[in-house]
Amino acid sequence: MKQIPLFTNQESKNLDSLAISSLGFSEQTLMGMAALSVFHANEDLWKTAESIWIVCGSGGNGGDGYALAHTLFQEGYDVKVYQTSPNKNNAGRFYESLVKSTLSKIGDLQKFESDLEDGETDSVLLVDALLGTGFQSPITSQLKSTIEAINDSDVIFYRLSLDTPSGWDPYQLGYQTKENHVFVYADSIEELGTRKWENVGYIYEKDNLIPRYYESIGFPIRTHLTNIHFSNRFYLEPDPEKATQVLKRKQKAHKYSAGSAMFYGGGEGMEGAILLSESAFSRLGGGISKVFSPSKSITNLVLKEDLSKMALTSDFLSMVSDPFFAKTKTIVVGPGLTSYPKGLEGWKMEPGKTLVLDAGAIPSIGTKLPIGDRVILTPHVGELNRMTGKIHNSVQEAHDTLVPFAKENQVYVLLKSFVSLLVCPDGTSYVWESPNPKLATMGTGDLLSGILARYFSLDLDLSVVEVVLLALSFLDQSKQLEEPYPTANQILTSLVETL
């Protein structure tokens, strides 16, 4: 599995410094490389604009904007440049001077807002180079006015931000009103040199995750990671082909080698949740499984569905003393439960087994978690808030809470959201950034639990990270469904058909 790192703003600055001090790059060279990479990556986009306007700040981000403006002008494009104030570093001043010598003048922000008022509708492609990774909120009143003008103008038909949308701060989402959290509504983001952790989950319209593009400019990402503080954050990239191939049964498989699992959940009236989870496991090739539930109706419901299946009314501790427990390696607890199972708190799981906790088995704050080598919790945001006693408004906030939580409890936590986050006991974390509106229906969490159990049950020595990647990749294929609002059972049926 390829490791694709994410860097915080501070780590990005450290890598920038290392490229200069250790590799011998000049800052001027890096700015030029950044500008060329953005120019070539967007050659088709530039051709759509009558005019390209670039607004530059006084730092390195502004320097990148000046360098891009110089390249665009020399390539024959109509370019206008505006600035907050003269650039503060030598490299930025070099490109600023080039722009002044070729364009003759650089406007200020008042001139920018005035030109916006006089411009023609949909005539301007705007490049946002105001605030880069060194930005710290709050912004000035003048910048706030400029950003609001950028967002509200019908003269601008496209907004491209360099490195990050100016003013964007995921840590401000919870305690600033929408009016006070002012940032550029970028249509795309060009991340220069490093992929930015703070940009993960950038969204300003519901269900609209803004595309980000990464441009390498030679930062020492592979060779110098040991020389900087690196927080072990990575992307999970979809691998649907492998996810499908791994699930297919081998010719010599038997019911245990094909995968065995136990399921506990489904309180009275909620039996469908645990049955859906088990059904995902078995219909996707699981060899043998057994359902345990506090519901007195569970046996009749299971046998009504399939006479070959096993089910038993039971409490949690009776389930773990069942003879089948010793033969299976994967246990799912929680779908269809409304309260934390008695006996699960502080329960010690023997080595070699994996425990998936979902729904009612997601503990409230202060509840002792079970103990084991491979315990994975799968909360949604509301359950995360209940579990930690904190409100989380961004994936970055959730990460900062979950890293110490996972370390203290020695568990894996997979936060399910439009951007999912896996945090490991050693503090390493992985982001899954693939919003799927088809999953916005009841039962898809139960479905995921069953899919996880299926991968965990395979005799392939897959790590938790590999299983999560495969499960999310496989479930993500539901995007291909023609049904606009499928049920969880329809999604499962479509996934079975892919096998």
Side-chain angles (χ1 to χ4, degrees), residues 129-444:
L130 287 168
L131 300 171
T133 55
F135 156 71
Q136 292 182 341
S137 58
I139 62 174
T140 65
S141 58
Q142 176 60 71
L143 271 178
K144 179 180 177 181
S145 173
T146 298
I147 291 173
E148 289 175 338
I150 290 171
N151 292 337
D152 295 340
S153 175
D154 59 3
V155 171
I156 300 169
F157 72 91
Y158 196 94
R159 300 163 181 84
L160 184 152
S161 288
L162 301 185
D163 253 352
T164 190
S166 292
W168 171 252
D169 185 351
Y171 291 98
Q172 299 294 326
L173 297 177
Y175 53 89
Q176 283 204 115
T177 64
K178 184 178 181 181
E179 291 73 22
N180 289 331
H181 188 199
V182 178
F183 55 90
V184 170
Y185 292 170
D187 294 292
S188 64
I189 303 168
E190 287 286 349
E191 296 184 321
L192 307 175
T194 55
R195 296 172 174 89
K196 306 299 189 295
W197 165 245
E198 281 81 2
N199 286 344
V200 170
Y202 171 69
I203 189 169
Y204 62 85
E205 293 180 1
K206 190 174 182 181
D207 299 328
N208 185 15
L209 191 67
I210 308 306
R212 304 195 309 274
Y213 304 99
Y214 166 65
E215 308 301 338
S216 173
I217 59 174
F219 279 0
I221 292 173
R222 290 188 65 182
T223 56
H224 286 66
L225 285 183
T226 56
N227 295 338
I228 65 169
H229 172 66
F230 181 54
S231 56
N232 291 334
R233 301 172 181 89
F234 300 92
Y235 276 119
L236 289 175
E237 288 201 321
D239 194 350
E241 183 176 348
K242 182 177 179 181
T244 300
Q245 291 301 318
V246 166
L247 285 184
K248 293 184 177 180
R249 286 184 181 176
K250 306 300 183 288
Q251 292 294 327
K252 297 182 179 180
H254 56 81
K255 61 186 179 182
Y256 280 99
S257 68
S260 59
M262 300 178 75
F263 296 83
Y264 183 81
E268 294 290 342
M270 297 285 289
E271 297 90 350
I274 198 66
L275 296 183
L276 179 60
S277 187
E278 188 281 332
S279 184
F281 171 82
S282 58
R283 292 182 66 189
L284 294 175
I288 185 169
S289 60
K290 191 171 183 178
V291 176
F292 296 81
S293 171
S295 170
K296 296 179 180 178
S297 307
I298 195 66
T299 300
N300 289 336
L301 289 170
V302 170
L303 294 180
K304 183 180 179 180
E305 178 186 324
D306 190 334
L307 293 175
S308 69
K309 292 188 176 182
M310 299 184 289
L312 189 66
T313 300
S314 167
D315 57 28
F316 175 76
L317 289 178
S318 296
M319 180 196 75
V320 300
S321 62
D322 189 274
F324 186 66
F325 182 81
K327 301 177 182 179
T328 191
K329 59 189 297 185
T330 308
I331 306 102
V332 174
V333 179
L337 295 180
T338 56
S339 59
Y340 199 70
K342 291 182 179 179
L344 182 61
E345 189 171 356
W347 174 65
K348 292 185 178 181
M349 185 175 63
E350 62 188 73
K353 295 184 184 296
T354 300
L355 176 64
V356 180
L357 301 180
D358 187 40
I362 302 296
S364 299
I365 185 171
T367 302
K368 290 183 179 179
L369 291 168
I371 301 167
D373 295 334
R374 287 165 52 119
V375 177
I376 177 169
L377 287 70
T378 60
H380 54 59
V381 175
E383 291 165 339
L384 169 68
N385 295 343
R386 186 189 76 211
M387 182 174 79
T388 61
K390 299 178 181 179
I391 301 298
H392 301 89
N393 296 285
S394 67
V395 67
Q396 290 83 1
E397 287 184 347
H399 171 272
D400 291 351
T401 295
L402 285 175
V403 167
F405 180 92
K407 286 183 177 179
E408 179 182 352
N409 295 284
Q410 286 298 291
V411 295
Y412 297 84
V413 183
L414 173 59
L415 174 64
K416 301 174 295 190
S417 185
F418 76 99
V419 175
S420 295
L421 172 70
L422 174 67
V423 179
C424 305
D426 65 358
T428 305
S429 58
Y430 298 83
V431 168
W432 174 266
E433 201 169 20
S434 182
N436 184 355
K438 297 286 176 70
L439 301 181
T441 187
M442 61 181 180
T444 53

Side-chain angles (χ1 to χ4, degrees), residues 31-93:
M31 279 187 180
M33 292 170 67
L36 286 173
S37 67
V38 174
F39 172 76
H40 288 301
N42 294 279
E43 288 189 65
D44 290 338
L45 180 61
W46 310 132
K47 296 173 185 176
T48 65
E50 294 179 30
S51 184
I52 301 167
W53 295 8
I54 304 179
V55 283
C56 298
S58 60
N61 195 247
D64 294 334
Y66 291 124
L68 177 61
H70 170 73
T71 300
L72 285 165
F73 177 82
Q74 298 299 343
E75 292 301 314
Y77 291 94
D78 180 71
V79 182
K80 290 184 179 181
V81 178
Y82 305 85
Q83 65 179 189
T84 59
S85 60
N87 210 265
K88 294 179 179 179
N89 61 42
N90 291 332
R93 283 195 292 270

